[in-house]
Amino acid sequence: MKITRCKLNRKIQIKLLEFFIAEVTARTAADLLGIQPNSAALFYRKIRQIIMYHLDQDAIEVFQGQIELDESYFGGARKGKRGRGAAGKVIVFGLLKRNSKVYT
């Protein structure tokens, strides 16, 4: 999948992509590049659609066959409660595809 019917020139597209990666809002990116905010917002939406398309393709591969699910809590140097009530811990959820990769 690729971006189609985009009237922005290639240089501006590349700069918008850099701003997208740097988590700059579409409105701010438009102001910095001197383009209409709606043009930047449309370009950002197209980038998100491409990302969603590729994630869907990966999901089809991941969820075929047998998989195992598990969650765990990491971090929290403080002693105290264990499990879900523990303060300062990060929840990590993982998928294991049999004879393949681990996804977190």
Side-chain angles (χ1 to χ4, degrees):
M1 183 173 193
K2 62 181 183 175
I3 295 177
T4 57
R5 292 187 285 163
C6 185
K7 295 183 180 181
L8 298 171
N9 67 34
R10 190 80 170 151
K11 183 179 177 183
I12 291 179
Q13 288 181 18
I14 291 170
K15 290 302 281 184
L16 279 172
L17 186 58
E18 289 173 3
F19 287 138
F20 181 83
I21 292 169
E23 298 181 7
V24 175
T25 64
R27 183 175 298 270
T28 303
D31 289 343
L32 292 171
L33 295 174
I35 61 173
Q36 293 293 321
N38 287 346
S39 298
L42 178 64
F43 190 81
Y44 272 31
R45 192 182 88 212
K46 288 180 179 183
I47 293 171
R48 288 186 192 101
Q49 287 174 340
I50 290 170
I51 292 169
M52 184 180 72
Y53 172 79
H54 287 287
L55 288 175
D56 285 344
Q57 294 300 315
D58 291 343
I60 290 170
E61 175 190 323
V62 170
F63 291 113
Q64 288 179 344
Q66 288 187 339
I67 57 172
E68 296 179 22
L69 312 170
D70 195 16
E71 88 277 346
S72 188
Y73 298 86
F74 291 95
R78 249 179 31 215
K79 299 270 185 195
K81 289 179 99 177
R82 295 169 53 168
R84 294 182 184 196
K89 298 210 177 203
V90 177
I91 301 170
V92 177
F93 183 78
L95 299 169
L96 169 66
K97 186 174 177 183
R98 291 285 182 163
N99 302 320
S100 187
K101 298 180 181 178
V102 175
Y103 300 90
T104 57

